[in-house]
Amino acid sequence: MPFIPVPAAKQREALDFLKKYVFSADAFNISPELLNKLAPERYEDFSGTTWNRQRVDYPVHERALSIQSGPLNYLYNPITLRRLQDLPLRYAEGEAKFTMGDLFTGLRDTIWSEVYAGKNISSIRRNLQREHLNILMALALGRLGAPADASSLARANLIGIRSAIIEAMHVSGLDAETAAHLCEVRARITAALEAGIQR
C-alpha cells in the first residue's frame, strides 16, 4: 500500500487548531468564578490520597503547561521533524507543501505573539514560552538528535525572538513580571547562541 501524504491544507488546519485552542493567548482564559470552584476531591479513599495531597486549590499553571507541553514536545520530536523534512519530497510537482519551516514559524508567531505586539505576558503564557525556549535551545545546540535543518530553524527562531524582545523592551507600560521574563529570555538566548558558535 503506497503512502499518501496528508494534504498541506489539512496539516495547516490541524496546526491552526492547536495554535488557537492550545497555544494562543486566549486558550486558558478561565474566569475567576470557575477557577475558584475547581478543587480536588476531599473524600477519603483506600489509598489515602487526601492525606498525600500538598495543595487543596487547583494547580492551574501546572495543568495548563501539562496540556500544552504534550503537543509541543510531539511537534518538535526528532522523528516528527525527520518526517517533516522528508514530506515535501512526497508531494507531486506543483502540489502545495507543508514544511518544517511552516511548523517552526507558525508556533513561534503564536507562542510569542505578545512579544511581537509589545504587550504584557500572562503567567500561563510565560510558562509556555519558557517551555518553547527550552526546546528551541536544545534543538539549536544539537542535543535532541533532530535533522540539521531543525537546528538551523531553531537557531533562526531564537535570533528572531531575541530581536523582538529587544524591540519590546523599549515599550513603556510593561509590568514587572513581563520585563523580568523578557530580560531572562534574552540572556538565555544569547548564552545559547554563543554556546552554539563555540560548538
Side-chain angles (χ1 to χ4, degrees):
M1 186 78 177
F3 284 106
I4 301 173
V6 175
K10 195 71 176 172
Q11 299 207 46
R12 287 193 179 88
E13 182 183 332
L15 182 59
D16 287 343
F17 178 89
L18 290 172
K19 285 161 50 177
K20 181 175 181 180
Y21 295 107
V22 180
F23 302 129
S24 77
D26 299 327
F28 290 90
N29 279 350
I30 304 169
S31 71
E33 292 79 21
L34 175 60
L35 190 56
N36 289 328
K37 291 178 183 175
L38 296 176
E41 183 62 60
R42 293 188 188 180
Y43 290 108
E44 290 188 43
D45 59 18
F46 293 110
S47 61
T49 306
T50 303
W51 306 109
N52 295 331
R53 187 171 290 118
Q54 296 179 347
R55 293 179 63 172
V56 294
D57 61 329
Y58 189 76
V60 64
H61 286 87
E62 290 87 347
R63 292 292 183 261
L65 186 58
S66 172
I67 291 167
Q68 292 169 322
S69 63
L72 196 63
N73 285 315
Y74 176 80
L75 291 170
Y76 285 114
N77 184 289
I79 294 172
T80 304
L81 294 174
R82 285 191 206 107
R83 293 182 71 188
L84 270 176
Q85 186 179 36
D86 292 345
L87 188 61
L89 303 176
R90 297 182 183 276
Y91 288 111
E93 185 71 30
E95 192 176 358
K97 297 173 173 58
F98 183 82
T99 67
M100 199 188 306
D102 295 330
L103 175 72
F104 274 76
T105 301
L107 290 174
R108 181 199 64 207
D109 291 350
T110 299
I111 293 171
W112 298 89
S113 62
E114 299 94 336
V115 176
Y116 291 106
K119 296 180 178 178
N120 284 319
I121 306 167
S122 74
S123 53
I124 288 177
R125 295 282 290 168
R126 292 193 300 268
N127 282 347
L128 173 61
Q129 289 173 358
R130 287 184 192 103
E131 187 75 11
H132 187 235
L133 178 66
N134 291 338
I135 293 170
L136 289 179
M137 290 192 309
L139 285 169
L141 295 172
R143 293 181 180 156
L144 299 183
D149 283 349
S151 295
S152 300
L153 285 165
R155 182 177 175 77
N157 273 216
L158 289 172
I159 291 168
I161 292 166
R162 183 175 63 175
S163 297
I165 286 173
I166 292 168
E167 292 281 323
M169 292 178 77
H170 291 32
V171 173
S172 61
L174 293 180
D175 60 36
E177 293 85 359
T178 296
H181 171 67
L182 294 178
C183 281
E184 179 195 4
V185 170
R186 183 182 63 179
R188 291 185 65 201
I189 290 174
T190 299
L193 293 173
E194 289 174 357
I197 289 170
Q198 293 170 5
R199 180 175 58 85

